[in-house]
Amino acid sequence: MQALLSVVPGGPETLELKTLPDPTPGKGELLVGIRAAGVNFPDTLIIKDLYQIKPPRPFSPGGEIAGEVLAIGEGVTGFTIGDRVLALTVYGGFATHVTLPAATAVKFPETMPFEDAACFVFTYGTSYHALKDRAALQPGETLLVLGAAGGVGSAAVELGKAMGARVIAAVSSEDKAAFCRSLGADETIIYANEMDKSAQKAFSSEIKALAGPSGVNVVYDAVGGDYAEPALRSMGWAGRYLVVGFPAGIPKIPLNLPLLKSCQIVGVFWGASVLRDPKGHAENVKDLFRLYAEARIKPKISARFPLNRAPEALAHLSSRSAFGKIVVIMPDQSEHD
């Protein structure tokens, strides 16, 4: 097998492509031949030892994969050789093979390409959990999405529209705004790259103008930093502010704002929720497969990289210039399609 390994803490340039012995599945495990792996923000953190999970080195980043079952470990039922499965691996996905607990593998339809499957559960799972379970988004409500052109942000735009909301997509460039309009966003806002006090005030005023007198019902914040306060100021009465991520830094929030607006600031820790409520997660995944089959959601893959160029994929994601999803394709992928 081939694997892109983190051998020392650092950026994408520190990763090394190695040839290793093929793994063997243990009790309760599957051996999966990976066909494609999604690229997500935690992948950029885990190689720097900045993620909450710190695997022993050497390890391969890559927390989201799709492939075929190659071997089945002792005690595993419900799977056969050749089954198409997707899984969240946390790490180990930037490789041609991986062993994983069978309980974490999810079969996906033949009609779904491996690329789509590898870019499906992390972003849509996060955003659906946020909008459905944490915000209880209702038809007719106004949803503001910060970082709307990214992986989880674009998923939130699609899901918001599928759930009947009016969606305002906030992004950093006109190209990203056009991308969000192609996803179905009703309105777009281009915010400043440097958010000083003046830019914050202008951003908040623009949100309020688009949201109308009732304000924003739900904010989906996948950016953080100095963008959070102006978004919070735009909220309507009894709104829900979803804390999803903070690549722009951890914001400092004046706590008089949620008091004055009687709004909630709600954390979204999807990974922990999957472990704490596996039944709820399974129901959400079922809903997401249905929405995919109905063509109401579909991963928007903007860039594809072969395994030996996966460090470039991570650098592209870190630059915050990516639209939608990035995927790593394993060697010999084209021979199977």
Side-chain angles (χ1 to χ4, degrees):
M1 65 174 282
Q2 289 185 293
L4 191 71
L5 298 179
S6 174
V7 292
V8 294
E13 72 283 353
T14 63
L15 300 175
E16 299 181 5
L17 187 64
K18 300 287 188 180
T19 300
L20 305 171
D22 289 351
T24 301
K27 186 175 181 179
E29 291 185 332
L30 299 173
L31 172 63
V32 176
I34 300 175
R35 300 280 293 277
V39 182
N40 298 293
F41 188 63
D43 300 326
T44 68
L45 300 178
I46 199 168
I47 61 175
K48 298 178 182 178
D49 288 348
L50 296 178
Y51 196 52
Q52 52 260 44
I53 297 170
K54 296 178 174 60
R57 287 187 169 83
F59 70 89
S60 176
E64 183 179 27
I65 63 99
E68 298 167 308
V69 175
L70 300 181
I72 299 172
E74 179 187 348
V76 174
T77 59
F79 292 92
T80 59
I81 302 298
D83 279 347
R84 297 156 59 92
V85 296
L86 57 81
L88 296 171
T89 55
V90 182
Y91 60 92
F94 289 177
T96 56
H97 298 71
V98 70
T99 56
L100 49 84
T104 65
V106 177
K107 297 179 187 178
F108 63 90
E110 291 282 342
T111 53
M112 179 181 280
F114 285 102
E115 289 184 9
D116 283 6
C119 295
F120 193 72
V121 173
F122 188 95
T123 50
Y124 288 114
T126 297
S127 295
Y128 195 53
H129 169 64
L131 298 177
K132 171 179 170 279
D133 301 332
R134 303 298 288 148
L137 181 68
Q138 299 299 307
E141 290 192 316
T142 297
L143 166 67
L144 170 67
V145 181
L146 304 187
V152 293
S154 59
V157 171
E158 286 186 279
L159 287 168
K161 292 304 298 177
M163 296 167 76
R166 177 172 177 260
V167 178
I168 301 172
V171 293
S172 60
S173 70
E174 177 53 43
D175 286 349
K176 291 182 178 181
F179 173 72
C180 290
R181 289 192 290 271
S182 76
L183 299 177
D186 298 284
E187 306 283 357
T188 57
I189 297 174
I190 300 174
Y191 46 64
N193 286 318
E194 297 296 330
M195 191 60 69
D196 58 16
K197 288 295 182 183
S198 175
Q200 283 184 319
K201 186 174 180 179
F203 183 33
S204 184
S205 296
E206 192 166 2
I207 298 169
K208 291 175 181 177
L210 290 176
S214 297
V216 173
N217 303 109
V218 175
V219 171
Y220 182 104
D221 183 4
V223 177
D226 293 331
Y227 300 85
E229 184 178 331
L232 185 59
R233 289 184 180 276
S234 74
M235 297 206 72
W237 183 258
R240 289 87 74 201
Y241 191 105
L242 298 169
V243 181
V244 182
F246 15 81
I250 297 174
K252 296 177 180 178
I253 298 295
L255 287 181
N256 63 311
L257 294 178
L259 182 151
L260 293 171
K261 295 173 178 293
S262 193
C263 69
Q264 302 174 53
I265 298 178
V266 185
V268 180
F269 192 174
W270 174 69
S273 76
V274 170
L275 298 175
R276 290 172 177 269
D277 184 16
K279 183 179 178 181
H281 171 61
E283 291 172 354
N284 284 354
V285 170
K286 184 179 179 181
D287 285 348
L288 292 171
F289 279 144
R290 173 180 54 79
L291 290 170
Y292 180 89
E294 294 172 355
R296 298 172 73 186
I297 60 173
K298 180 178 172 59
K300 304 302 185 289
I301 299 171
S302 62
R304 296 164 175 82
F305 292 84
L307 179 60
N308 64 345
R309 291 178 53 207
E312 295 176 48
L314 291 171
H316 186 48
L317 182 67
S318 297
S319 72
R320 294 175 62 185
S321 61
F323 295 5
K325 289 288 292 189
I326 303 170
V327 66
V328 172
I329 306 297
M330 298 309 150
D332 301 323
Q333 170 81 5
S334 60
E335 295 180 10
H336 298 280
D337 295 336

